[in-house]
Amino acid sequence: MRNLNQDNITQAVIARFSSTPDARLKEIMTSLVQHLHGFARDVKLTEGEWEKGIDFLTRTGHITNDKRQEFILLSDTLGLSMLTVAMNNDKPAGCTEATVFGPFHVENAPHFELGEDISNGAKGAPCFVRGKVTGIGGEVVAGATLDVWQSDDDGMYDVQHPGIDHAQNRGVLHTDADGNFHFRSTLAVAYPIPHDGPVGQMLMATNNHPWRPAHLHFRIQAKGYETLVTHVFRDGDQYLDSDVVFGVRQSLVADWVEQADGSYLLAYDFVLNPAT
Ligand code: BEZ
Ligand code: FE
């Protein structure tokens, strides 16, 4: 095809993908082209602006490495991560809601026995976390695998600290025969997502802050149930209504109750959706 113009190029590009063998890939490519071209037409994108866009994406790639995932931050701050979570986790009423995974989970975190301290030297006020994992009918889920991770008192995950090469404030535990779990950790605090890169510049240019309300991450896996990826958010946090990644759900907000000795207690139960 030659002499394409702004009125027929979109159909020509879509036709180029028309013999894609994988039907789902074909659907995705077709829609992507339609929406990308629609966006360019909508804003009457100039060549200079698209050059800046490519520069932004290039810098997003360059700053990304095994410790820093700028593309996840971009997806999160554009609400695309949370939209995808919301579309794919429509659970029956009563189930614990899901929220964004984020870039700071680490596979194969250290294993802990119930009651142990996962902080491993992380800075922060001591905190005791306990709860129960059940199914939607109230049946206890014994032996569920809980992956938990959180920042320290400086608002940094262990993997963000240049000087720390061991796990802190993250671990894997299993519920007991009654579906209960408990462990020690540090008090969750609000923190800004990494904002010294292109995503931070985008937030600044659009008059937005980079903060997430204080939270504790959980991934819960159990045979016969859908995996739950979620966090518990700390009630009273000033960023609950302006989370930079749009992840807060009211059902996930809980109280970290201060104890007489200055430590904190978080009690939160999880309800899993049966696997289909
Ligand atoms: C997090 O909660 O760890 C997180 C989520 C999205 C972007 C950055 C951090
Ligand atoms: Fe987090």
Side-chain angles (χ1 to χ4, degrees):
M1 244 195 164
R2 298 186 187 180
N3 302 330
L4 293 168
N5 59 39
Q6 59 176 302
D7 297 321
N8 59 17
I9 189 165
T10 303
Q11 277 319 308
V13 178
I14 288 171
R16 188 67 63 81
F17 295 117
S18 63
S19 55
T20 303
D22 182 320
R24 177 64 175 156
L25 179 60
K26 179 177 165 182
E27 182 185 3
I28 288 172
M29 292 306 295
T30 302
S31 179
L32 182 68
V33 170
Q34 252 158 359
H35 285 87
L36 272 179
H37 287 214
F39 155 72
R41 284 195 183 90
D42 189 35
V43 300
K44 297 188 173 48
L45 192 66
T46 68
E47 290 162 284
E49 285 163 347
W50 185 222
E51 241 176 67
K52 279 191 181 169
I54 288 182
D55 176 60
F56 176 85
L57 292 171
T58 304
R59 288 185 291 113
T60 300
H62 282 166
I63 202 172
T64 295
N65 57 32
D66 60 341
K67 298 244 158 76
R68 170 77 177 255
Q69 231 305 352
E70 197 77 359
F71 278 107
I72 294 184
L73 296 183
L74 182 57
S75 164
D76 292 343
T77 53
L78 293 177
L80 189 56
S81 303
M82 199 55 213
L83 171 61
T84 309
V85 169
M87 287 190 305
N88 288 281
N89 288 275
D90 198 11
K91 299 171 197 290
C95 286
T96 305
E97 294 187 283
T99 189
V100 289
F101 197 45
F104 296 125
H105 176 261
V106 173
E107 288 298 344
N108 303 317
H111 283 241
F112 290 92
E113 297 299 321
L114 292 179
E116 284 190 316
D117 186 354
I118 69 163
S119 64
N120 199 14
K123 272 167 70 178
C127 180
F128 186 76
V129 182
R130 67 169 153 78
K132 193 180 193 72
V133 180
T134 64
I136 195 152
E139 72 279 12
V140 303
V141 182
T145 305
L146 267 67
D147 232 297
V148 295
W149 66 105
Q150 67 163 96
S151 72
D152 65 9
D153 200 43
D154 292 332
M156 303 262 280
Y157 287 81
D158 51 5
V159 291
Q160 294 178 281
H161 277 289
I164 294 179
D165 60 0
H166 58 279
Q168 285 191 332
N169 268 353
R170 68 173 74 243
V172 178
L173 306 113
H174 296 278
T175 54
D176 67 15
D178 298 316
N180 292 317
F181 65 88
H182 57 111
F183 60 91
R184 286 180 294 134
S185 164
T186 64
L187 176 65
V189 300
Y191 65 82
I193 65 168
H195 55 287
D196 56 345
V199 169
Q201 287 162 3
M202 186 261 298
L203 292 172
M204 277 239 297
T206 56
N207 199 25
N208 283 297
H209 71 69
W211 288 82
R212 297 217 66 207
H215 60 272
L216 170 58
H217 294 258
F218 285 85
R219 182 179 70 183
I220 305 181
Q221 296 170 296
K223 200 159 177 275
Y225 294 91
E226 283 178 3
T227 295
L228 173 67
V229 174
T230 195
H231 349 316
V232 181
F233 294 92
R234 189 170 163 205
D235 202 8
D237 191 288
Q238 64 172 309
Y239 299 111
L240 282 172
D241 290 313
S242 63
D243 180 10
V244 65
V245 303
F246 307 95
V248 179
R249 295 185 172 280
Q250 182 54 37
S251 67
L252 301 175
V253 177
D255 208 4
W256 268 247
V257 183
E258 189 168 7
Q259 309 294 293
D261 64 358
S263 68
Y264 287 80
L265 169 66
L266 168 66
Y268 195 87
D269 296 338
F270 295 90
V271 180
L272 302 183
N273 197 22
T276 45

